Amino acid sequence: MTRSDSASDLARLTDALIAAARAAGADEADAIATSGTALSVEVRQGALEHAERAEGIEIGLRVILGGRQACVAASDTSDRTLAEMAERAVAMAREAPVDDHVGLAHPDQLASDGDTDAGPLQLDDGQPLPEPPALLELALRAEAAALAVKGISMAESASASAVQRRIWLAASNGFSAGYGRSSHGISAVAITGEGLGMERDWAGESRVWAEDLPTPEEIGRLAGERTVARQGARKPPTGAFPILYDERVAGTLISHLLGAVNGSAVARGSSWLRNDLGQQVLPAGMNLTEDPRRPRHAASRPFDGEGLRTAPRLIVEAGELQGWTLDLATARKLGMASTASAMRGTSSPPSPGTSNVTLTAGTASPDELIREMGRGLVVTSMLGASINATTGDYSRGAAGFWVENGQIAYPVNECTIAGNLREMLMRIVPANDARAHLSTRVPSLLVEGLTLAGG
């Protein structure tokens, strides 16, 4: 089946689902259909450990009836299944609670035909899926590169994968459009030491276009070097210290901010930023932007899960919070306009989410910030989380490297970082090392005065 054949088949499925929903008594309906093929291989000790190929179609239907909604999903696309889905969804909706904010977009809110064209976003590299032997070679090369790093005792695994996926969204308000995606990835996990002294780390990269991937050798070598650097890890001291969130994990801090400005949390009153619209939430001069139309990025999309055209926007400007992340329902609850931020799966209704966020970068390198911090912790991995969504109180397990006299002294593990997100985010100092290809472009972030519990 060609990509164009797949798109037309998905479009026919969504049209048939909507017709079945109307026939079953729905006032409004939208439908989503996805198809995909995924290949992956995993190697260990120079041999194939696991290979998998998965392909199929999933369909989802949402019906709205008198302010009530229900969603159903299936992987069978027979006419009988489509009719049964519609009847079941309408029956479920009749028993659901009324929510006057639920409803499809008005036709004049929808993305135009030109706006739904995903071609300029380059979300699909147009290449056939690689054959399994080609993926096997990539994984073996990554494993060999990790094992070549002095001090590596074994490679726990190395893998390579490729995915092709298509999505089509249609609704009874007249919207109907879709697009395809491709994804390619390579990763490796290495181990040093043995027994209680064993340490592991990893490296992995994924890209929309295969030609944009780093080489397997780069990825495997980085996994090995990260792992060897963790030899002899021990607990850090306890106290109040500056913490440098390495670029690998700095995005988690910003994800907590994004969660707090999500319209669902705000509408429920469960966000620690619920009263801070227009207030300063980041240091002056810092912006947090979203651009869902960035070419060759895995999270880019021409329209959202309700058929609205996506567009760049400022979430935070010069440190001040500019707005919430909203889909249609949360926007109506808050008396605002949707930010075209609806995310959608086959089995659930739309909900707000972000695509491709960027935090203003600094001018200093991570090494310069380490010298500036003097004594403290560089965090490279996070373990678990205890976040109070209403107050912003923050506690997370961490591992990384202890800094003395502005230099890395030794690796650390089994420690906990605690603070309050409102205060932490107001004290961040960004480095200049954000990686351009990531959907969350956040550099390393230095935060002063956090509580560290170690040995």
Side-chain angles (χ1 to χ4, degrees):
M1 181 184 293
T2 67
R3 284 173 165 83
S4 60
D5 290 339
S6 175
S8 61
D9 287 344
L10 296 182
R12 284 193 292 270
L13 279 171
T14 56
D15 288 346
L17 279 168
I18 292 168
R22 299 302 292 266
D27 296 336
E28 298 179 304
D30 59 13
I32 186 169
T34 67
S35 65
T37 303
L39 295 174
S40 64
V41 300
E42 183 177 331
V43 300
R44 185 173 298 173
Q45 298 181 356
L48 177 65
E49 177 79 6
H50 181 74
E52 183 176 2
R53 177 186 178 97
E55 56 184 301
I57 293 178
E58 293 186 8
I59 51 177
L61 174 67
R62 177 174 66 136
V63 302
I64 300 171
L65 183 64
R68 299 174 171 90
Q69 70 174 350
C71 297
V72 294
S75 56
D76 178 17
T77 60
S78 66
D79 291 342
R80 178 180 177 180
T81 296
L82 302 189
E84 290 175 347
M85 286 177 65
E87 291 167 1
R88 185 165 71 251
V90 169
M92 291 168 59
R94 288 196 172 105
E95 302 301 320
V98 174
D99 183 348
D100 293 333
H101 303 107
V102 167
L104 301 185
H106 190 275
D108 62 10
Q109 294 178 288
L110 298 173
S112 66
D113 290 344
D115 291 334
T116 62
D117 179 14
L121 304 188
Q122 303 179 56
L123 302 180
D124 188 339
D125 63 6
Q127 300 300 310
L129 280 174
E131 296 297 323
L135 291 178
L136 177 62
E137 180 190 2
L138 294 175
L140 289 171
R141 287 165 58 190
E143 181 188 51
L147 289 170
V149 175
K150 185 177 180 180
I152 293 300
S153 55
M154 66 178 292
E156 183 175 277
S157 65
S159 63
S161 63
V163 179
Q164 286 178 350
R165 185 169 178 262
R166 293 208 67 87
I167 180 172
W168 199 274
L169 175 69
S172 58
N173 57 11
F175 183 82
S176 184
Y179 53 90
R181 290 190 183 278
S182 58
S183 176
H184 305 267
I186 302 171
S187 65
V189 182
I191 294 175
T192 187
E194 55 186 36
L196 295 178
M198 181 182 294
E199 294 287 344
R200 60 165 51 79
D201 211 325
W202 70 284
E205 297 284 352
S206 63
R207 298 289 192 279
V208 172
W209 287 46
E211 65 185 43
D212 295 338
L213 268 175
T215 66
E217 287 75 17
E218 292 175 273
I219 295 168
R221 182 170 60 252
L222 181 58
E225 291 170 350
R226 285 175 171 174
T227 301
V228 168
R230 298 210 47 75
Q231 287 179 321
R234 57 187 190 269
K235 293 183 178 182
T238 294
F241 300 101
I243 306 290
L244 180 67
Y245 286 78
D246 182 81
E247 186 270 344
R248 294 170 66 185
V249 297
T252 63
L253 273 183
I254 301 305
S255 72
H256 298 310
L257 172 59
L258 293 172
V261 302
N262 187 286
S264 293
V266 175
R268 291 194 306 269
S270 60
S271 165
W272 50 276
L273 287 176
R274 60 191 177 278
N275 298 317
D276 284 58
L277 196 61
Q279 302 300 308
Q280 188 173 356
V281 296
L282 291 174
M286 294 196 70
N287 295 341
L288 181 63
T289 62
E290 179 186 21
D291 184 2
R293 306 184 77 86
R294 195 182 298 155
R296 292 201 190 194
H297 278 69
S300 294
R301 51 194 183 141
F303 53 86
D304 78 344
E306 294 175 304
L308 279 63
R309 183 191 188 278
T310 57
R313 67 185 181 105
L314 276 164
I315 301 172
V316 177
E317 182 178 17
E320 294 184 359
L321 180 59
Q322 301 299 302
W324 313 122
T325 300
L326 303 170
D327 62 0
L328 286 170
T330 55
R332 291 166 183 150
K333 288 177 183 177
L334 296 170
M336 297 178 172
S338 172
T339 54
S341 300
M343 300 290 186
R344 179 74 188 278
T346 56
S347 60
S348 58
S351 61
T354 54
S355 306
N356 299 334
V357 296
T358 301
L359 181 71
T360 301
T363 57
S365 70
D367 287 341
E368 289 171 328
L369 291 183
I370 288 172
R371 287 195 292 271
E372 178 182 322
M373 69 192 291
R375 187 170 191 248
L377 178 68
V378 176
V379 177
T380 57
S381 65
M382 310 295 292
L383 308 168
S386 175
I387 311 296
N388 187 313
T390 303
T391 65
D393 289 337
Y394 171 98
S395 178
R396 294 204 65 180
F401 298 90
W402 187 248
V403 174
E404 288 282 357
N405 300 316
Q407 294 185 334
I408 298 292
Y410 55 84
V412 301
N413 55 18
E414 298 182 13
C415 60
T416 301
I417 301 168
N420 181 273
L421 286 166
R422 184 188 300 276
E423 299 168 1
M424 293 165 63
L425 290 168
M426 287 294 292
R427 296 199 300 263
I428 61 175
V429 178
N432 62 0
D433 60 339
R435 289 177 288 169
H437 73 276
L438 293 180
S439 296
T440 302
R441 291 181 180 176
V442 176
S444 297
L445 298 174
L446 177 62
V447 186
E448 294 285 347
L450 296 184
T451 300
L452 178 66

